[in-house]
Amino acid sequence: MKILHWEQLTSKDKKTLGGTRPILILGPRDISQARIQQLQTKIRTKLETAVVWGCLADKFIPGLENSPQFKSLSLKKLTKALSKLSPEQQPSAILVYPQRYIKYIIKEIQWSAVIGVNGSWHHAFHYRPEYCEISKKKLTYKLVSSFVNEVEAKKYEVKIKKKMKLEEFAAQIGQKFSDQELMKLAERAAQHSFDWTFQTGAVLARDGVLLAVAHNRVVPYETFSFHHGASKEKQLAPPQDLNYFDTNHAEVELVLKANLQQINLANTTLYINLMPCPICARMLARSPIKKVVYQLDHSDGYAFKLLKAAGKEVERK
């Protein structure tokens, strides 16, 4: 089992690597050794073809940094798991590369198919450059679970949340912050999201006093999409299509939390890193929330116009 580094490969090396038309497993997020072995064994047994495992040189999935649920699988862990398999079950090579090079890797090597592990990229897979290269070359591709089974998926959610330092928000409830600080809190809350298509965070405050914090939450449990796949990716849904979505939006989670905690929404301000979608905007228009402060636009400014018409203050930071 060879360990290759993309930036060191010559044209001859690339031709040799693609000579057997192997299957490429795209460099994944951190998965268990059991899942590595299960996936490798299943592919080799079922397809009886050479396999090359990708391994990201990036510490986190690019675009999802500082979120422990999107830590990249390390070369050490991957090598250890695969070395425990029999020689005939092992892959032909491990290819180490920064994720920004993946479109060139797909383009320049003769692969027979590509496999991706759910949650190992930022934004929906079919919006990304590697998908464009796969389509151009008419390659077969498949997106698979991050976990051995659902039990492992649910245990991972519990494990990873212990690393998220959620108590930092609880300790800050009731404290007063500036607008800039509240937006920074929304950005930090977004990093707790398990939705790799877009992480959204929201905070609620009154006169600068923090009342509640939330992020867009995958349902029915946070690792559901990691295990079963993202509905947006399975349906090849366009960016603004809300028919195929795996999360409660951060605004919804914030309003639900406020209701459960009996927080009065009157004269409050919502801080969020993404302008509310049309559905959430209509909900907020009917709420007692007084002001919405956001960072990024959405849906051609629909929410901005609607919220202003509903008498809300709207501000972009």
Side-chain angles (χ1 to χ4, degrees):
M1 184 172 57
K2 300 176 182 177
I3 298 178
L4 308 172
H5 294 263
W6 177 255
E7 292 163 306
Q8 297 174 5
L9 295 184
T10 65
S11 297
K12 183 179 179 180
D13 293 332
K14 294 174 184 178
K15 187 174 181 180
T16 301
L17 182 61
T20 57
R21 290 186 58 81
I23 291 172
L24 171 65
I25 299 177
L26 297 174
R29 56 173 298 280
D30 190 29
I31 58 177
S32 69
Q33 290 191 43
R35 179 53 176 152
I36 294 168
Q37 294 166 353
Q38 181 192 55
L39 183 55
Q40 173 63 24
T41 302
K42 185 176 180 180
I43 295 170
R44 290 287 288 121
T45 302
K46 186 175 181 180
L47 301 177
E48 296 183 350
T49 188
V51 177
V52 172
W53 271 80
C55 183
L56 297 180
D58 314 280
K59 185 176 180 180
F60 289 91
I61 302 301
L64 299 167
E65 292 82 2
N66 301 315
S67 294
Q69 65 275 34
F70 294 109
K71 183 180 178 182
S72 301
L73 177 63
S74 70
L75 177 60
K76 181 179 178 180
K77 185 175 181 179
L78 178 59
T79 304
K80 183 177 179 180
L82 293 172
S83 65
K84 292 178 181 179
L85 298 175
S86 63
E88 59 271 16
Q89 287 291 340
Q90 291 180 9
S92 56
I94 293 174
L95 181 62
V96 182
Y97 60 89
Q99 196 177 66
R100 67 181 182 273
Y101 290 152
I102 187 58
K103 64 179 180 180
Y104 305 111
I105 292 169
I106 294 172
K107 181 179 180 179
E108 296 178 29
I109 305 292
Q110 293 302 309
W111 308 106
S112 62
V114 176
I115 293 175
V117 175
N118 293 330
S120 300
W121 43 81
H122 187 212
H123 300 315
F125 189 73
H126 56 291
Y127 305 163
R128 294 182 52 83
E130 54 264 51
Y131 177 79
C132 293
E133 290 301 329
I134 288 170
S135 298
K136 286 178 185 177
K137 296 184 72 172
K138 298 181 179 179
L139 288 171
T140 299
Y141 81 95
K142 186 175 183 179
L143 307 182
V144 300
S145 174
S146 288
F147 303 106
V148 169
N149 52 36
E150 197 153 23
V151 172
E152 187 185 61
K154 290 182 177 180
K155 284 184 177 180
Y156 179 81
E157 177 183 357
V158 174
K159 175 184 174 182
I160 208 71
K161 283 189 174 180
K162 290 180 180 178
K163 298 181 180 180
M164 286 184 167
K165 299 180 180 179
L166 297 174
E167 66 276 5
E168 71 171 302
F169 295 124
Q172 292 171 320
I173 298 296
Q175 294 184 29
K176 190 165 185 176
F177 298 92
S178 67
D179 278 358
Q180 284 186 325
E181 290 170 332
L182 287 164
M183 188 58 77
K184 286 293 182 183
L185 283 174
E187 291 173 7
R188 287 220 301 276
Q191 293 172 356
H192 294 165
S193 173
F194 285 70
D195 185 351
W196 63 86
T197 64
F198 198 90
Q199 294 179 299
T200 309
V203 304
L204 187 71
R206 182 184 289 112
D207 298 324
V209 177
L210 181 65
L211 302 174
V213 180
H215 64 267
N216 56 328
R217 179 180 291 269
V218 179
V219 292
Y221 58 90
E222 292 271 41
T223 51
F224 186 84
S225 297
F226 280 174
H227 185 43
H228 295 282
S231 57
K232 188 179 289 288
E233 292 177 340
K234 290 189 284 188
Q235 300 296 329
L236 302 181
Q240 308 300 339
D241 188 346
L242 297 175
N243 292 308
Y244 301 105
F245 215 78
D246 305 304
T247 70
N248 274 344
H249 289 187
E251 310 93 309
V252 174
E253 285 292 320
L254 198 69
V255 170
L256 287 171
K257 185 175 286 189
N259 181 59
L260 287 171
Q261 297 177 1
Q262 297 184 325
I263 297 171
N264 184 359
L265 295 178
N267 298 314
T268 57
T269 299
L270 167 69
Y271 296 82
I272 188 164
N273 62 322
L274 179 68
M275 166 64 82
C277 73
I279 295 172
C280 289
R282 291 192 287 271
M283 174 191 71
L284 294 171
R286 292 278 295 144
S287 80
I289 292 173
K290 180 182 180 181
K291 183 176 180 180
V292 176
V293 181
Y294 73 99
Q295 281 184 327
L296 301 175
D297 285 308
H298 189 288
S299 303
D300 295 324
Y302 173 94
F304 186 93
K305 297 171 187 175
L306 175 67
L307 291 170
K308 291 288 283 186
K312 309 294 182 184
E313 295 178 42
V314 186
E315 182 179 349
R316 181 175 181 178
K317 283 288 184 181

